[in-house]
Amino acid sequence: MASGHGSTSLQLNLLGIGEILRNNRLVVPQFQRSYCWKVDQEVRDYWTDLSRAIETGADEDYFLGTIVLTQDGPDDRKKIIDGQQRLVTSSLLIAAIRETLEGLGHTQARRIEDDFLASQAWDAEDTEPHLKLNEEDHPPYHGIVTRSGLPLAAPKRNDSDIFKAYRYFCARLKELASLHGESATNELKKWVKYIQHRAQLAVVETPSEADAYVIFETLNNRGADLTTADLLKNHLFGAAKMHLDSVRNNWHKSIGALSLATADDKFTKFLRHYWSSREGKVTERDLYAKMRKEVVQSQDALSFSQQLLTGARIYAALSDPNHELWLDKCPGRKPALNTLVLFNLVPNKILLLAAVEHLPAGQIEKLLKALISWSVRGMVMGTINRGRYEDVYSQIAVDIRKGTIANISEIRARVNELIASDIDFKAQFALHTVGRNEANKNARYFLGALERTHKNEAEPEFIPNDNPAEVNLEHVYPQSAVVGDWSEFIAVSGTQEDADKWIYRIGNMVLLQASVNSHIGNKPFKNKAEVFKASQFALTKMVGECPAWTPEAIQSRQEILAGLAVRTWPR
């Protein structure tokens, strides 16, 4: 069979699942994801489809898809590259049939275990499962198939998906046996025979693990049930050839660097951001195709895996101001990092992936400070999450890697067209509404920074303390206003609906100590004003000195805040 990595010899056979489990000793590689079929989804669908096939035509074959095996597994076992979920689920069903037959007094129940699940070699001391899973899954699976650790009847909250699937099959088979009465034993034996011969898989076997990944990738090149990370992993492993061990090791170190257990959607997101910082902006839809085109040879796979590991460590540090990487890169800029972590903006991550790796510490510190101002201006203007920012930041990252951009001045020249002018920023800030979901996070930061500017403190845009347990956000006109207490505000606004439009205006928000905030809640303004006057925050104290709280007062205050904003987040 031809592939993108050369010619691969393979065997292809159509076999019953039972025959596969009976005649092979199989192992799931340790790095593969754990068993993850859910009882209320895949396991239920598997049972429904299989029972329907047996009921409607026990003499007809039922095709369950393709699995990929490699012949170079440890201890003469074949490695499962693709197909773990179906094989494990099928063996759990067979184990449940064994238990149900045992309960019915069938004398051949033990033969089912020996034939399909676990057996003892003549020179071995213990019974060994025909299928060996990874370190997480093997203990519960081993306990079931060898009967050395069957799950308790009463389920536990932390039961594994393996235990849950096994219990599900036991319950369904008990119902089936009850339905068939005296013929239950014959019905269950019919199930075993069907699973052994008629429930079939296309088994693809290759000589080596690297070849198996080539086949796996070819079979799944449209990504039907796979994440981009799955496809990339198998392409990398297939291309790795002689470097497979090193590539695989770097891949799993990259996952670990991000504190992930598997290459899930978060890892795919990292891959997209990393690739955008290397080659220019890419969508997740196009990511795999672009990577596949660049990583072709064995050395390509090795180099990419090494670079990916470096990128993963930097990416982890971008979300953790305490990460050890910052000790060398910019030890004095933890407050700036705290602020950027709060924003959690994709364009910043893409740019910093390249900058942190290639720029000197002094330039990184200047860039972190600048990114805070550029980010706030972009958030207020509503442009930061639009495609243009990511386009430009990605290309800057590419040029940093090439060496054509080497300092903050050159970066600033490239982003100049994106960043709002002081006039535009001030005008938009005077009208800015903080969305409901982001209110506590961004509004508290905005007000804290503006407070520090008002007091002429150094570096007001940095976060000294963002602990909501100490400093809370208070909406002057409350989120759940009592109409009787706020009738004047509502009347001036026009209607209750019109009044509510002012709730999330930044001018309607103040900072308070958390212990105070909990006591004033939805009280009328005259009560709140007394609390505000006693506040340690100067901008909050100013609100308390207002004779009344109206939409006009909110707008007037917000214009004052807008003037401070231009100074707080300079262009």
Side-chain angles (χ1 to χ4, degrees):
M1 177 177 180
S3 76
H5 306 297
S7 182
T8 297
S9 175
L10 62 86
Q11 299 175 22
L12 175 61
N13 296 290
L14 194 62
L15 300 171
I17 295 177
E19 286 298 296
I20 297 170
L21 294 169
R22 182 181 187 180
N23 297 323
N24 294 279
R25 300 300 178 264
L26 306 167
V27 61
V28 174
Q30 290 300 319
F31 56 81
Q32 275 200 22
R33 68 176 67 183
S34 297
Y35 181 76
C36 61
W37 275 18
K38 305 300 180 185
V39 162
D40 58 351
Q41 298 174 27
E42 297 93 347
V43 174
R44 181 192 60 199
D45 293 343
Y46 173 94
W47 168 269
T48 301
D49 292 344
L50 190 61
S51 59
R52 184 182 296 120
I54 295 172
E55 289 170 8
T56 58
D59 294 327
E60 296 181 4
D61 294 338
Y62 176 63
F63 182 61
L64 286 163
T66 303
I67 65 172
V68 180
L69 308 177
T70 179
Q71 298 160 0
D72 60 352
D75 303 322
D76 295 324
R77 287 179 178 265
K78 297 175 181 178
K79 287 182 184 177
I80 304 170
I81 303 303
D82 183 34
Q84 173 196 178
Q85 309 295 327
R86 281 162 289 175
L87 289 171
V88 174
T89 304
S90 299
S91 58
L92 292 174
L93 174 56
I94 293 172
I97 293 174
R98 175 199 62 191
E99 290 304 301
T100 307
L101 285 171
E102 183 85 16
L104 293 173
H106 184 55
T107 58
Q108 298 298 309
R110 182 55 188 267
R111 287 288 304 278
I112 292 176
E113 177 180 317
D114 292 339
D115 280 356
F116 304 110
L117 301 174
S119 55
Q120 185 174 3
W122 69 270
D123 58 347
E125 295 182 3
D126 300 315
T127 299
E128 279 293 316
H130 295 181
L131 173 56
K132 188 174 182 179
L133 308 188
N134 66 20
E135 290 181 1
E136 179 182 356
D137 286 342
H138 196 64
Y141 179 78
H142 183 279
I144 289 172
V145 298
T146 64
R147 304 192 71 193
S148 61
L150 293 174
L152 300 174
K156 297 180 180 180
R157 182 184 301 177
N158 61 345
D159 275 344
S160 67
D161 288 329
I162 287 176
F163 273 179
K164 291 175 182 176
Y166 175 73
R167 279 204 189 91
Y168 176 85
F169 288 140
C170 286
R172 299 289 79 75
L173 289 166
K174 185 177 180 181
E175 295 170 358
L176 184 68
S178 177
L179 179 65
H180 286 273
E182 294 182 359
S183 63
T185 297
N186 289 333
E187 179 66 19
L188 292 172
K189 288 167 66 177
K190 183 174 75 173
W191 273 64
V192 173
K193 290 179 180 178
Y194 191 88
I195 294 170
Q196 180 177 358
H197 299 293
R198 298 296 186 184
Q200 297 185 333
L201 289 166
V203 182
V204 179
E205 287 191 38
T206 67
S208 70
E209 188 172 347
D211 291 331
Y213 286 115
V214 175
I215 302 303
F216 176 75
E217 180 191 3
T218 303
L219 292 170
N220 294 283
N221 62 6
R222 296 190 182 276
D225 297 314
L226 303 170
T227 66
T228 299
D230 287 329
L231 289 170
L232 176 62
K233 179 193 77 173
N234 287 286
H235 176 70
L236 274 179
F237 289 8
K241 299 296 182 183
M242 69 190 75
H243 297 305
L244 177 59
D245 287 344
S246 296
V247 170
R248 182 163 55 201
N249 189 40
N250 289 333
W251 178 267
H252 293 292
K253 281 184 177 180
S254 298
I255 294 172
L258 297 172
S259 299
L260 300 174
T262 60
D264 57 13
D265 290 342
K266 292 181 180 178
F267 192 74
T268 300
K269 187 177 296 184
F270 154 66
L271 289 173
R272 188 184 80 78
H273 297 166
Y274 174 68
W275 194 261
S276 292
S277 82
R278 279 177 48 123
E279 307 292 337
K281 180 184 174 183
V282 63
T283 63
E284 186 173 322
R285 182 182 61 188
D286 297 331
L287 176 61
Y288 170 65
K290 289 184 178 296
M291 285 183 165
R292 191 177 189 278
K293 188 180 295 184
E294 294 295 326
V295 181
V296 179
Q297 303 298 327
S298 177
Q299 188 60 44
D300 297 338
L302 179 61
S303 297
F304 179 77
S305 71
Q306 293 167 337
Q307 295 158 7
L308 189 70
L309 177 56
T310 299
R313 289 169 174 161
I314 295 172
Y315 196 79
L318 297 181
S319 299
D320 180 9
N322 295 314
H323 196 283
E324 61 184 2
L325 179 145
W326 298 119
L327 295 176
D328 297 324
K329 293 295 184 180
C330 48
R333 277 292 179 256
K334 183 177 177 181
L337 292 165
N338 282 330
T339 307
L340 291 173
V341 169
L342 174 74
F343 295 162
N344 192 31
L345 295 170
V346 170
N348 289 345
K349 292 181 179 180
I350 292 172
L351 176 52
L352 287 171
L353 273 168
V356 171
E357 183 175 356
H358 295 280
L359 296 184
Q363 295 300 317
I364 295 173
E365 290 191 12
K366 293 177 181 178
L367 176 59
L368 292 173
K369 183 177 175 67
L371 281 175
I372 293 173
S373 291
W374 299 342
S375 297
V376 172
R377 291 193 176 220
M379 287 190 289
V380 170
M381 300 301 294
T383 55
I384 190 71
N385 285 318
R386 295 179 186 171
R388 184 64 181 148
Y389 261 84
E390 192 171 323
D391 287 340
V392 174
Y393 278 35
S394 296
Q395 193 54 53
I396 293 172
V398 172
D399 291 339
I400 288 174
R401 292 182 186 277
K402 291 178 178 178
T404 56
I405 288 182
N407 56 58
I408 183 63
S409 297
E410 292 170 347
I411 295 174
R412 191 182 298 276
R414 293 282 291 275
V415 302
N416 187 58
E417 61 175 301
L418 295 176
I419 312 304
S421 67
D422 287 350
I423 293 175
D424 290 342
F425 177 53
K426 182 178 180 180
Q428 188 60 38
F429 198 95
L431 301 172
H432 188 55
T433 297
V434 182
R436 187 184 188 94
N437 293 332
E438 62 177 338
N440 287 343
K441 180 181 69 172
N442 286 350
R444 192 167 63 245
Y445 164 72
F446 287 159
L447 291 171
L450 294 171
E451 177 78 18
R452 293 189 290 278
T453 298
H454 180 73
K455 293 180 178 179
N456 293 316
E457 293 183 10
E459 298 182 326
E461 72 275 31
F462 294 169
I463 297 178
N465 178 17
D466 187 47
N467 187 352
E470 298 177 15
V471 179
N472 232 334
L473 187 70
E474 171 70 16
H475 297 78
V476 184
Y477 173 67
Q479 297 177 83
S480 301
V482 177
V483 174
D485 291 338
W486 291 89
S487 56
E488 182 178 345
F489 187 98
I490 295 171
V492 173
S493 299
T495 65
Q496 175 84 54
E497 184 177 351
D498 292 332
D500 288 349
K501 293 176 182 177
W502 293 92
I503 292 174
Y504 298 104
R505 288 285 293 269
I506 194 73
N508 185 54
M509 300 175 186
V510 298
L511 295 178
L512 280 179
Q513 290 178 290
S515 58
V516 175
N517 175 275
S518 63
H519 296 302
I520 63 175
N522 297 330
K523 291 182 179 180
F525 179 71
K526 63 180 180 180
N527 298 83
K528 289 189 172 189
E530 296 303 314
V531 176
F532 296 159
K533 288 178 184 178
S535 174
Q536 62 179 326
F537 298 106
L539 295 179
T540 302
K541 189 188 294 285
M542 290 170 59
V543 173
E545 294 169 353
C546 292
W549 196 246
T550 63
E552 184 179 356
I554 293 175
Q555 185 59 47
S556 177
R557 177 174 185 256
Q558 192 153 338
E559 289 173 1
I560 293 172
L561 298 181
L564 292 172
V566 173
R567 292 165 48 198
T568 305
W569 299 287
R571 191 171 189 277

